[in-house]
Amino acid sequence: MQNQLKILHYIPVYAPAWQFGGPVLSVSQLCEGLAALGHQVEVFTSNAGLNNQSELPLNQPVIRNGVKVTYFQQEPGIGIHCPGMEEAVTARAREFDIIHVTGVWQRTSGAACKAAKNQGVPYVVSPRGALGPYSWQQKTAKKILYYLWQERFNVTNADGIHYTSKQELQECRWLKLPGKSFIVPNGLNTEFWQPALEAAKAWRKSQNLNEDDFILLNIGRLHHKKGLDLLPQALAPLRHLKWRMVFVGGDDDGTKAKLQQHFQSANLSDRVIFLERCEPKTLPAIYSAANLFVLPSRHENFGNVVVESLACKCPVLISDKVGLHDEVAEGGVGWVRSRVASEWTEAIGELIQFSCKMQTLKFKSRAWIKNIFSIDKTSMDTKNYYIRIRDNHCA
């Protein structure tokens, strides 16, 4: 095959460790998409979050959906400490045409960047939002010291920096990173993420939700970054309307208890359902059962849940801090508001009372997703950037 690549994806956590959030799903789908194009894709990762997977072999490759994945044993220590990953990339870096490192502020990443640099292998870094302003505001002093000690080497020596949205690229311009900057959004399998109407009806019934209930949905980890504390304020003035709010996701930092308290103070506890995180295979039915997906985040470099929701024909209302807000607004497939509770009250109230406004978007959104975010397109675009980066590196 012409321009067939041997690609190493190096990421501290990988499928099926879904509890670690969006990058696990988006990176695994990208790897599978690249493999489907005929490239040799290998993944080095840890077994973090997979201790209950007794059948998972450690420290040896296993084929997962066409991708050769090696899960190395996580060792005790600060962060994800995985010496096996670091030893493997140091020993084998030269075997690959390109190495793609996902994540910054990760203890394991330095070994891959150093091995690639020392052995003359081009490498790409995906910050996944971790170099954005919200991240720098968390533990700022420690991050500055770590950046000077390790992360600056990782990102300034990279041949390419991969961003998932225009917003993320703009947020990182001040760093003046020398590697080639390129944007490829997270892709998704549109055959998997599609409306599931019968399953949606069954899910509503299982949660004692009526057919005429207007379901507001949020899926993802419950965390301060997600800005969910805006929702009780926004929904309190709408208690006279027929709606229910559903959260699906694990609690990362005590946000769930705070939300429950806020909804209780607003006398809205009976309108809210909290469900634990679930396997991706169950999510299309939940998206399909909802009337509106809401994401009032303080910061998102991308927002996988936005494209998943739109692929399942569930309209979205998102904050202007979500990485995809420009794309959603320009595509006319959802609504964008600033993080002001009264703006959300007005938008949600209008959509509940005039839900016919969402019908056109439902049909438009899926076509829009397939055209821009299908895993076939994003894998092809990523491959093309890999080839350019490899050729420039060798020139």
Side-chain angles (χ1 to χ4, degrees), residues 199-271:
K201 291 178 182 177
W203 182 83
R204 276 201 177 222
K205 187 175 181 180
S206 72
Q207 301 301 322
N208 295 317
L209 297 169
N210 298 323
E211 289 186 12
D212 60 344
D213 282 334
F214 189 97
I215 305 303
L216 298 154
L217 175 67
N218 177 269
I219 292 177
R221 63 194 179 112
L222 304 178
H223 189 276
H224 174 266
K225 179 181 178 181
K226 303 298 181 179
L228 302 174
D229 51 311
L230 179 142
L231 293 174
Q233 304 172 55
L235 291 171
L238 301 175
R239 58 171 53 86
H240 62 288
L241 299 177
K242 190 174 177 61
W243 57 265
R244 300 289 296 277
M245 179 74 232
V246 178
F247 296 95
V248 182
D251 185 7
D252 269 14
D253 63 352
T255 290
K256 179 179 179 179
K258 293 175 184 176
L259 280 173
Q260 289 174 322
Q261 181 179 355
H262 291 322
F263 278 115
Q264 184 176 11
S265 298
N267 294 319
L268 295 174
S269 295
D270 60 335
R271 300 286 195 96

